[in-house]
Amino acid sequence: MSLAWVDGEIMPAQEATVTLLCHGLHYGTAVFEGIRAYATPRGPALFRLDDHLDRLLDSARLYALEIPYSRDELRAATHELVARSGLASCYVRPIAFPVSADGTMRVCPLGASTTVAIAVWEWGAYLGEAGKRDGIRAKVSSWQRISEESLLPAAKAAGHYLNSVLASVEAQRAGYEEAILLDSTGHVSEGAAENVFVVRDGRIATPTLCNAILDGITRQSTIAIARDLGLEVAERNVGRHELYIADEVFVTGTAAELTPVREVDDRVVGDGRPGPVTLRLQSALDDALHGRTERWAHWSEPVAAGALEVPAP
């Protein structure tokens, strides 16, 4: 069942409403997260929930948005909502947005109240099961990734995704599954909704936080798993040309999980099939996501209802 928690009240997601005089709707000032709960041997479990909630609170601070709940209250609300949904696996979307205090809809949101909501629903592989298995075709976008000269790429903010929308529309109209954006210096930044990794001679490279990326939780997990497996991972500038000569390319994200890339700009990556490093990491990450490995068991938080009473603000 798709459910929503809105400022302390749980309801069917379809019944959740917001006023038209919503600053986040008009100006894109919402901040949000994408979290997954997975079926694990210990029952439904939320993957790296605290890390996601920390990033939500950080995103709010970056855009001067006051969230009237603590991380513990948001965690309790998330647990309650997922438990009430009855879903063994689901996608979880917390979102916080300012609402006009006086109806004037000024651009500056200071003084506006903040609505916090969480929605849960079933969602399969973001780039498709075939894409996850066989790899996707990607296009380097003509649109440049947003930079810190104009916005704050470290925040997961709704307005930022207009940049991704433009890149995704361009890529899909041209017959590709996903876009890869470059930063203001011409280096690889990220996909429209994923972080990017390249593999050459068994060594892994991925763009740095200074390449205007969102520091993905799945990105962090993949780097940790790779290093634990003894693989070399460098966080550095990645040139566009490296996408064309890489042995392997893959993308990561909460929605996309770990998805191979088999072509970039009509250039076949490797032999056109997911490579050995990609497959090894994909399998290890899948085990971690589903709580099948003790090494990363601390990343999975079994769902428990009724942990804390969360009052309306």
Side-chain angles (χ1 to χ4, degrees), residues 13-31:
Q14 294 79 4
E15 295 180 11
T17 60
V18 62
T19 174
L20 181 62
L21 299 179
C22 173
H23 199 278
L25 174 64
H26 288 260
Y27 302 119
T29 45
V31 296

Side-chain angles (χ1 to χ4, degrees), residues 28 59 104 127 139 142 153 167 190 192 199 211 293 301:
S59 294
T104 61
L127 293 168
K139 179 187 189 301
S142 67
E190 63 178 32
V199 183
N211 294 118
T293 174
E301 191 172 316

Side-chain angles (χ1 to χ4, degrees), residues 126-146:
Y126 178 72
L127 293 168
E129 291 297 337
K132 188 176 174 183
R133 182 187 65 245
D134 302 324
I136 61 167
R137 299 177 66 243
K139 179 187 189 301
V140 174
S141 181
S142 67
W143 297 97
Q144 180 182 294
R145 169 70 176 158
I146 58 172

